[in-house]
Amino acid sequence: MLEELRIRSLGVIEESVLELGPGFTAITGETGAGKTMVVTALGLLLGGRADSGAVRTGARAARVEGLVLIDDPGVAEAVDEAGGDLEDGRLLLARQISSEGRSRAFVGGASVPVSSLSALADPMVAVHGQSDQHRLLHAVAQRDALDRFAGRKVLDLRARFHEGYAALSATEAELAEVVRSARDRAREADLLRFGLGEIEAVDPQPGEDSALAAEEARLGFADTLRTAAEQARECLSAEEAGPDALGAVSTARKLLDGVRDHDAEAAALADRLAELSYLLSDVAADVSSYASSLETDPLRLATVSERRAALVALTRKYGETIDEVLVWSQRSASRLLELDNTDERIAELIHRRDRIRSSLGEVAAALSAERNKAARRLGTVVTAELTTLAMPHATVTVAVSQTEQQDGLAVAGRSLRFGPWGVDDVELLLAANRGAEPRPLGKGASGGELSRVMLAVEVALAATNPVPTFVFDEVDAGVGGKAAVEVGRRLALLARHAQVLVVTHLPQVAAFADRHVVVVKSSDGTVTTSGLTTLDEGSRVRELSRMLAGLEDSETARAHAEELLATAQEARSAAV
C-alpha cells in the first residue's frame, strides 16, 4: 500500500506531500490545476518514460518519492538483492529527472536501473490512465487474471502443468546433451578400449616394474659382480696359504689369549676378536654363496629386457609406475561401462519425455476446458459491469485460443504451441457498440471507455487481485448523472479489496471516496503553482459544491453536495 507521495518541481507542482491510506482516495481540482501530475508522478515511480519537459520551469530537476508499506516477503527479498533497505516494513521508491533529460531511480536508498524499479513496482501499483501503460493490456496479465478469476481448480491445473513443463524441459535438455555428446562419448570409449586392450595384453603385476629393473641390472653385470665377490671372499678367507682377514684376526686373538690371565682388559679384547672371527667366517661363507649364485644367462637377460620394455610402454601412456597404470585401468573400465550405456540412456530419456508429454497433453486439455468456462463467466460479469458504467451496448469477450505448431504438444489430436502456462492464449476483446466487431483492448475503445473497461475488469477480479494499489485517471470521461454514481459505487467496491486512487472531475464519483484530496492552484502573476490538500468534512462539502455548480458558497449547491455525500455513505454502508 502507498502511504505517502512526495512531489517536487514536477509540472505545476512546486513541492507537495500527499499522505494516503487504505480505501478510496479521490483527487479533484480545477482544470489545469495539475491533477494529472499525480498520475504522472506515479508513472515515474513505476519506471515510466521520463520527459524532461515535465520538469518545472526554472528547476534543475524534478523528484518523486513514494513510501510503500511492504508485507510481501518476495518484494522484501528483491529489495535486498537490489542493495536497498526497508525501514519498519516500509520501502522508499524515488525517481529524479534532470532538466537535461537524465533520469535516476532509487529503491530503498540504493541507486538502481529504471528497469529494476519498474520490475519491483509494477506488481504493487496498477495505473489506468489514457497515456499510461495498462497492466491488463498485456497478454500475460490477461491470462493470469482469467486464471485467478477461475479459481482453485484452474490454479491447481496450471501448477501441475508448470511442474510437468519444468520436468519436460529438464528431460529434453539432458536428452539433447546426451545425443549431442554421443560422438564424443563413442570416441572416448574407443580410446579407453584400446588402452585397456594394451594393458590386458601385457598383463602387468603390482610392483613388477621395480622387481624387473633390479633383476636386469644384476643379470647385465653378472661377470663383474661375480669377480668382485670372489675377490672379496679371497680377502676374507684365502683358499691358498695367503694372507686374509680371518688369518689376521685369528693371529691377533691368539696373541691376546696368551696374556688373558694377566689382564682382564686383554681377555675382553680377545673375546671380541673371537666374535669378529665368527662374523668374518659367516660373511665369507655368504660372499662365497653369492658368488656361486651369479650366473651369466643371456637368454634370461633378453627376456627381462623385453618385458621391461613392454612395461615402460605402458607407463609412458597410463601412469608413472605400473601400480598407477593398474589404477588407471580400473577407473577406465568403470568409465567404459558408463559410456557403453549411452544408447540405453537415450532410450530411457526418450521414454520419459514421451510419458511427460502425454501427461502434459491431458492436463493442458483439462486446463483449456476450465479456462473456457471461466472466460464465459468473466465476459458476462464484465459486460454487466459496463452496462452500469454508461456503456450499455458494450460487450467484453474473453477469447481463449491456441496456436498450431509443428512438434508442439499433442492435445486432442492437435499439435499446439505451449509454455509454462499451458497451450492457451488469452485475450480480452471489446465490442464498444452493438454490432461492432470485437477488438483487443486498447484498439477497440477511446481512452475514457478503456478506463471504464479496466474498472469493470478490476471490479470483477477484485476478490482475487494481488495488486494492492490501483490508480485511475479519467475513468469517468464522458460519464454523467446516474452512470457517474455507478462509477463511484464500483470504485468504492474495488476499494474494499485494495487501495484506490482516482483523479476525477465528477462530484458523484468523489462523493464515494473515503478521503478527498484537492489540487489547489495559485499564481503570483508570473508563476503558477499547485499544492495538494486533504479536505476535512466542511472543506469537502465546499469542493463538491464547486464541482456541482462552480460555486463554493451556493446554498443550493451545498445542500446538493451534502445530499450526495449522504447518499454515497448510505450506498457504501449497504454494500458492506
Side-chain angles (χ1 to χ4, degrees):
M1 182 183 73
L2 188 63
E3 288 192 334
E4 182 180 284
L5 181 66
R6 185 180 296 271
I7 305 171
R8 187 176 70 228
S9 300
L10 183 67
V12 295
I13 300 178
E14 183 176 12
E15 185 167 3
S16 194
V17 178
L18 177 60
E19 294 184 355
L20 299 167
F24 177 8
T25 298
I27 301 173
T28 64
E30 295 181 3
T31 300
K35 300 186 298 296
T36 302
M37 282 297 104
V38 176
V39 180
T40 301
L42 286 168
L44 291 172
L45 279 183
L46 292 175
R49 182 176 177 273
D51 181 6
S52 60
V55 179
R56 182 175 172 78
T57 303
R60 296 180 58 184
R63 185 177 178 88
V64 180
E65 296 179 353
L67 189 63
V68 184
L69 179 64
I70 302 297
D71 58 3
D72 184 349
V75 174
E77 183 177 344
V79 171
D80 184 65
E81 290 178 356
D85 295 315
L86 293 177
E87 293 186 7
D88 297 327
R90 289 168 173 79
L91 172 65
L92 180 64
L93 303 177
R95 183 81 179 275
Q96 183 167 305
I97 308 161
S98 71
S99 56
E100 292 84 13
R102 294 189 300 273
S103 173
R104 297 184 66 190
F106 303 88
V107 172
S111 179
V112 298
V114 173
S115 58
S116 297
L117 180 65
S118 176
L120 184 67
D122 265 349
M124 296 189 292
V125 183
V127 178
H128 296 304
Q130 294 197 43
S131 60
D132 297 294
Q133 293 293 323
H134 301 284
R135 180 178 58 90
L136 285 176
L137 290 184
H138 301 292
V140 173
Q142 293 180 10
R143 182 170 50 235
D144 290 344
L146 174 62
D147 290 348
R148 289 195 307 274
F149 177 81
R152 177 52 55 191
K153 187 172 183 178
V154 164
L155 293 176
D156 288 345
L157 285 170
R158 175 168 165 161
R160 284 178 55 194
F161 192 94
H162 187 277
E163 181 180 350
Y165 180 85
L168 177 62
S169 298
T171 300
E172 290 184 334
E174 184 178 355
L175 176 60
E177 174 61 23
V178 172
V179 171
R180 184 191 63 79
S181 63
R183 182 176 299 172
D184 294 337
R185 294 165 71 91
R187 186 181 298 113
E188 181 185 357
D190 285 344
L191 290 174
L192 292 177
R193 288 192 188 93
F194 179 80
L196 290 171
E198 282 192 316
I199 294 172
E200 184 178 0
V202 175
D203 190 23
Q205 301 302 312
E208 185 181 5
D209 50 345
S210 299
L212 287 178
E215 184 178 359
E216 184 181 43
R218 186 168 62 252
L219 289 170
F221 293 92
D223 291 338
T224 302
L225 292 171
R226 185 169 52 254
T227 298
E230 288 176 348
Q231 290 177 351
R233 179 197 55 74
E234 189 70 20
C235 291
L236 292 171
S237 177
E239 291 183 356
E240 299 179 0
D244 58 22
L246 278 172
V249 171
S250 177
T251 301
R253 186 191 66 180
K254 289 178 180 179
L255 291 171
L256 291 175
D257 270 342
V259 295
R260 100 174 13 256
D261 294 337
H262 305 297
D263 188 354
E265 186 174 352
L269 291 172
D271 292 341
R272 289 175 63 188
L273 285 172
E275 292 176 2
L276 181 57
S277 178
Y278 302 147
L279 179 60
L280 285 173
S281 180
D282 289 342
V283 171
D286 289 342
V287 170
S288 178
S289 176
Y290 171 70
S292 299
S293 68
L294 291 171
E295 296 180 1
T296 301
D297 189 347
L299 182 60
R300 176 58 184 169
L301 177 59
T303 301
V304 170
S305 297
E306 182 179 352
R307 178 67 176 174
R308 280 202 69 210
L311 296 179
V312 169
L314 295 181
T315 56
R316 285 187 184 134
K317 296 180 180 180
Y318 309 112
E320 292 292 331
T321 65
I322 287 300
D323 289 344
E324 291 183 10
V325 170
L326 293 173
V327 170
W328 183 92
S329 176
Q330 293 174 350
R331 292 176 178 172
S332 297
S334 299
R335 174 61 176 164
L336 186 59
L337 288 175
E338 179 182 338
L339 293 174
D340 285 342
N341 288 332
T342 298
D343 291 341
E344 295 179 9
R345 183 60 178 161
I346 290 176
E348 177 187 344
L349 290 172
I350 290 175
H351 176 71
R352 184 197 300 175
R353 179 199 63 189
D354 294 344
R355 177 170 49 80
I356 295 174
R357 275 180 165 267
S358 175
S359 176
L360 280 179
E362 296 175 1
V363 176
L367 181 57
S368 294
E370 293 299 324
R371 278 175 171 160
N372 275 290
K373 293 178 185 177
R376 290 190 290 271
R377 296 199 314 271
L378 180 58
T380 300
V381 171
V382 175
T383 299
E385 287 290 336
L386 289 178
T387 299
T388 64
L389 296 175
M391 296 180 67
H393 305 302
T395 303
V396 168
T397 304
V398 183
V400 179
S401 61
Q402 299 82 32
T403 301
E404 300 279 349
Q405 177 179 296
Q406 187 176 5
D407 297 328
L409 185 66
V411 181
R414 302 169 64 195
S415 181
L416 304 177
R417 179 176 64 87
F418 68 106
W421 64 85
V423 297
D424 303 313
D425 296 315
V426 177
E427 190 171 31
L428 272 65
L429 306 176
L430 172 68
N433 300 292
R434 186 180 288 114
E437 186 71 20
R439 302 184 64 193
L441 292 182
K443 296 181 179 179
S446 65
E449 289 174 328
L450 182 57
S451 291
R452 275 177 278 164
V453 172
M454 290 298 180
L455 173 58
V457 172
E458 298 291 15
V459 170
L461 298 174
T464 59
N465 212 316
V467 179
T469 300
F470 292 95
V471 181
F472 291 92
D473 184 23
E474 305 240 3
V475 68
D476 49 14
V479 176
K482 183 178 179 181
V485 174
E486 289 302 320
V487 170
R489 191 191 309 275
R490 292 303 184 275
L491 289 167
L493 181 62
L494 180 60
R496 293 170 56 189
H497 302 278
Q499 182 185 43
V500 177
L501 280 66
V502 180
V503 176
T504 181
H505 64 275
L506 292 181
Q508 296 94 326
V509 173
F512 277 87
D514 301 298
R515 186 178 298 95
H516 192 150
V517 176
V518 63
V519 182
V520 181
K521 181 171 66 173
S522 62
S523 175
D524 61 2
T526 59
V527 179
T528 300
T529 61
S530 294
L532 302 172
T533 302
T534 301
L535 303 179
D536 57 21
E537 286 301 316
S539 299
R540 189 175 183 185
V541 171
R542 285 194 298 273
E543 173 62 11
L544 290 178
S545 299
R546 181 197 64 76
M547 297 173 70
L548 283 165
L551 300 172
E552 297 180 1
D553 298 323
S554 166
E555 291 297 329
T556 302
R558 288 178 63 86
H560 191 181
E562 290 173 351
E563 181 183 3
L564 191 58
L565 281 171
T567 300
Q569 177 61 39
E570 183 179 348
R572 289 208 311 270
S573 300
V576 175

